[in-house]
Amino acid sequence: MAAWMWLLLCLGYDAAATKMKIVEEPNTFGLNNPFLSQTNKLQPRTEPSPVSGPPHLFRLAGKCFSFVESTYKYEFCPFHNVTQHEQTFRWNAYSGILGIWQEWEIENNTFSGMWMRSGDSCGNMNRQTKVHLVCGRSNKLATVSEPSTCVYSMAFETPLVCHPHSLLVYPTLREEMRRQWDEAEQSLYDELITEQGYKKRLQEIFREAGYLKKAVENKSDVNPNQTRSQSFDSLEQCSQDHAELSEEIKRLQGILERHGISYLKNGSSNTELQGVSSVTSTPKNEEKYHLRGDTGDRDEH
């Protein structure tokens, strides 16, 4: 008995003499972390956009709806964010933000979905989620999927969208914006603007209303050599650009004729010009052909 007591005393002394490892900061990973609240663990990259869209959906703001699939719990908070929590007791169980409310997706002049962007990092991109609003008997998050890496898709059922006109954009706009929409519609009917110009005007109205996030132009991304748009918003702009191009073609034709250089007309089956080395001389009285391109000659001064 005495021998056992002596052994226990020796073990106790050795344990006391050994330095204990002190964890200075609590673990910040996982849903089951006892040191930090869930709110502190999720650090949003940006603030949510203001509440917008159909007024009858505003009552959803401030509420959250959960959906559990396998070991993951998803939480959708309309006009705020979407989060994902791994329901395990692993020390590093994932808990993060799948997107923060930013803007509506509008198709055929109808609110078709809510975009939650700027979520947690995922490789060289941020996680984002599109929430589809579908008719249902109660408010609930019905399905969750991941169509592509770190891009999620959710279906939220609610009786608030069961009426056929519940997601139309036009009735939610102020009177001034409706008037602008009507004018754009009339201009399209009168063929004063193209279909693309019409859609562009609607996009501007939707951004002004706060339904779409305003794009910030990065001037460093603009190509200084790109001086003309690849498309035309109106017939007037198209006609003006056509006239300018016609004048430029005539100028280049004059340069080629002064140097006695031939050029191919449209639809010609002759061998295509392959640069200055393939250009041949032609008599001054030869038939004028349509210009195919600039050979590099310039006006002489």
Side-chain angles (χ1 to χ4, degrees), residues 27-199:
N27 169 28
T28 60
F29 298 95
L31 177 64
N32 303 294
N33 175 20
F35 296 100
L36 292 179
S37 67
Q38 187 66 26
T39 304
N40 290 335
K41 285 181 291 184
L42 303 181
Q43 300 296 329
R45 294 175 174 273
T46 183
E47 291 294 323
S49 297
V51 177
S52 65
H56 59 276
L57 297 181
F58 292 179
R59 68 188 70 178
L60 297 175
K63 301 179 181 179
C64 294
F65 305 88
S66 301
F67 176 83
V68 178
E69 182 177 38
S70 184
T71 59
Y72 290 98
K73 175 183 177 182
Y74 300 88
E75 197 166 49
F76 168 53
C77 303
F79 304 107
H80 192 62
N81 63 23
V82 173
T83 56
Q84 181 189 50
H85 315 287
E86 186 177 359
Q87 301 289 280
T88 67
F89 290 93
R90 296 191 305 116
W91 72 272
N92 63 340
Y94 176 76
S95 182
I97 299 175
L98 302 187
I100 299 172
W101 161 241
Q102 286 200 358
E103 63 181 348
W104 287 96
E105 178 168 283
I106 300 177
E107 296 178 347
N108 297 324
N109 304 327
T110 302
F111 296 105
S112 61
M114 304 179 70
W115 270 110
M116 308 285 187
R117 295 195 172 97
S118 299
D120 289 347
S121 297
C122 180
N124 59 354
M125 62 179 293
N126 295 331
R127 302 177 191 272
Q128 57 181 329
T129 304
K130 179 182 177 182
V131 181
H132 302 266
L133 303 179
V134 297
C135 176
R137 305 182 69 174
S138 61
N139 295 325
K140 69 175 184 178
L141 188 58
T143 62
V144 177
S145 63
E146 189 176 0
S148 58
T149 305
C150 298
V151 178
Y152 304 84
S153 177
M154 295 183 171
F156 179 73
E157 296 182 357
T158 173
L160 298 175
V161 300
C162 290
H163 191 279
H165 297 162
S166 60
L167 293 176
L168 292 180
V169 177
Y170 187 88
T172 66
L173 296 172
R174 300 195 306 269
E175 183 177 354
E176 172 62 22
M177 295 181 183
R178 294 185 192 179
R179 184 186 63 78
Q180 295 176 11
W181 191 333
D182 293 339
E183 291 177 352
E185 193 86 30
Q186 186 63 44
S187 296
L188 177 64
Y189 178 80
D190 294 335
E191 298 183 348
L192 298 177
I193 59 175
T194 62
E195 182 71 26
Q196 183 172 352
Y198 170 72
K199 292 180 180 179

Side-chain angles (χ1 to χ4, degrees), residues 214-250:
K214 294 184 178 180
V216 178
E217 182 181 6
N218 187 355
K219 295 184 178 180
S220 62
D221 294 336
V222 178
N223 184 354
N225 297 324
Q226 186 177 358
T227 57
R228 180 178 284 105
S229 173
Q230 299 298 319
S231 59
F232 307 102
D233 294 336
S234 67
L235 296 179
E236 181 181 359
Q237 179 186 353
C238 180
S239 300
Q240 180 180 353
D241 286 1
H242 179 267
E244 292 177 358
L245 289 174
S246 297
E247 290 298 321
E248 179 67 8
I249 289 174
K250 292 180 180 179

